[in-house]
Structure formats: C-alpha cells, structure tokens
Amino acid sequence: MLYTDVIDPILARVEGCPRALVVDAMRNSCMDFCTRTRFLTTGVSVTLTGAEVPTFDLDTQVVDILEAKITDKKVLVTFLNDPDAEADTLGAAGYDYAIRFTDPNNAEITAADGQTAPSVATPITVEMLIAIAPGPTSTEIHTDLWRKYSEALKHGALYRLYAEPNKVWSNPSSVGYHKDEFEEAIKDASLEAGRNRIQPARRLRVRTL
C-alpha cells in the first residue's frame, strides 16, 4: 500500500496543501510512530566474523535490537552503550558469548574462555529480532501498521501539517488535539508491543531515536 493511496482524507482537511507535502507528513508520522513504539519487528540472521557492522539487507531503518541469540550458546546481550555492562562478568556468569550493540547497526562480540572467537575462518551466526521503521525515502506503508493504527497516523500527519506557520492550511488551534491523540496512541501501542514480546533474559536500555 502506497502513502499516496491513503492520504485523501487528510488532503480534504488541509485545503491548498500540495499532495507531496501530505505524503511527507504521513511518512514522518509513520516513522515517528514505529521508532517510538517498536510496533514493526522482523527476524534476521546475521553472520559475524568479529566486531563489525551487521548487514541486514533491509529497505527500512533499524530502530532497535530486541533479541539476539546464538544456537546452543548462552549469550549475554547488552544494548546501546549500556553503562551497566561489565565485560569481566562474561565468564563468571557462565555465558559463552557477550554481544554488545553500541548502536542499532554496530555489534561487538566477545567469546568467553574456551569458546571459539568469531573470525573469517570461524564465523558465528546470530539470530536477531529487530524493530524497524519506514525509511525517509519510503513510498509504501506497512499493511499491518495501517490496518491497526490508521487513525493515529492520520492524527500524526494532521498535527504536523497544521503546525506549519503561515500556510493557507495552517490551523494552530487544532495542533494540540491531533498531537495529543497521536501521543496517546503511541503510549498504547508501546505497551501492547511490549506485552506481545517474550522478553529474553538480558539487560536492555531502550533508545528513542
């Protein structure tokens, strides 16, 4: 489904606004919503040969790493510059590997004593559950996102358009209402997304981009 397929109800409420700007507002609404709620997720398999940037081969933004595991290994996972991470607890806690994500696209992996360190000769495959969001040049809206949260996304687009100053479609008095509706939907979606995920045993610092 394209952004251009869903914007007519918004166009009708922002008379004089170019269609392209409405598409931009809807795209930004979707990006913001997905980034803050972690609603859209997908599983990926990445082969690491050391501390490196994983290649996800996706046409979306990677917002966060929600889970990471190595088959038949006990893995300590820390995320996004977690200040509580202690490298010297790796062996003492009985973990085989430690994986630290210094940002959503940059993984560092460390092997405990007795475990094979990742290398070109001995790569390690990591299964991940990642949260994604539409990219800044995306043209399509995810069907599940639109089916479940279309009203919230419309509110997100409208408050952005109404907030633009000195335009024929500007409507400062309506910004607060639509923004509040959008923020409330984000809160609800975040709680639901969290309940629907089975959290692994790990430390996690969630970052909102």
Side-chain angles (χ1 to χ4, degrees), residues 64-83:
D64 201 358
I65 312 293
L66 302 174
E67 299 178 19
K69 64 181 181 179
I70 301 171
T71 302
D72 298 328
K73 299 295 181 182
K74 189 175 181 182
V75 181
L76 173 65
V77 183
T78 56
F79 291 76
L80 306 181
N81 291 314
D82 185 343

Side-chain angles (χ1 to χ4, degrees), residues 45-209:
S45 178
V46 178
T47 299
L48 298 178
T49 58
E52 60 190 47
V53 176
T55 300
F56 291 112
D57 192 26
L58 298 169
D59 57 1
T60 55
Q61 298 183 80
V62 178
V63 175
D64 201 358
I65 312 293
L66 302 174
E67 299 178 19
K69 64 181 181 179
I70 301 171
T71 302
D72 298 328
K73 299 295 181 182
K74 189 175 181 182
V75 181
L76 173 65
V77 183
T78 56
F79 291 76
L80 306 181
N81 291 314
D82 185 343
D84 297 328
E86 294 290 344
D88 59 3
T89 66
L90 175 59
Y95 290 98
D96 300 313
Y97 291 92
I99 301 175
R100 178 182 297 190
F101 292 93
T102 53
D103 64 56
N105 295 287
N106 195 342
E108 298 174 355
I109 184 167
T110 304
D113 292 343
Q115 297 294 328
T116 302
S119 67
V120 174
T122 57
I124 291 177
T125 299
V126 182
E127 303 292 335
M128 301 182 192
L129 177 66
I130 62 175
I132 58 176
T137 60
S138 60
T139 59
E140 297 184 11
I141 184 170
H142 196 285
T143 302
D144 289 344
L145 176 65
W146 184 252
R147 183 184 297 120
K148 192 170 182 66
Y149 292 111
S150 59
E151 291 305 311
L153 298 172
K154 291 175 189 176
H155 284 300
L158 280 169
Y159 97 72
R160 287 169 167 82
L161 292 167
Y162 286 154
E164 292 189 15
N166 304 317
K167 304 293 184 182
V168 295
W169 61 86
S170 300
N171 189 347
S173 64
S174 295
V175 171
Y177 165 72
H178 290 288
K179 186 171 183 178
D180 286 348
E181 291 293 308
F182 182 68
E183 294 293 334
E184 189 64 27
I186 283 179
K187 184 188 303 182
D188 292 343
S190 298
L191 291 172
E192 182 177 352
R195 286 194 299 265
N196 289 340
R197 286 195 297 271
I198 299 174
Q199 297 293 344
R202 59 181 174 88
R203 292 192 296 256
L204 172 62
R205 292 297 177 96
V206 175
R207 179 182 71 173
T208 300
L209 300 182

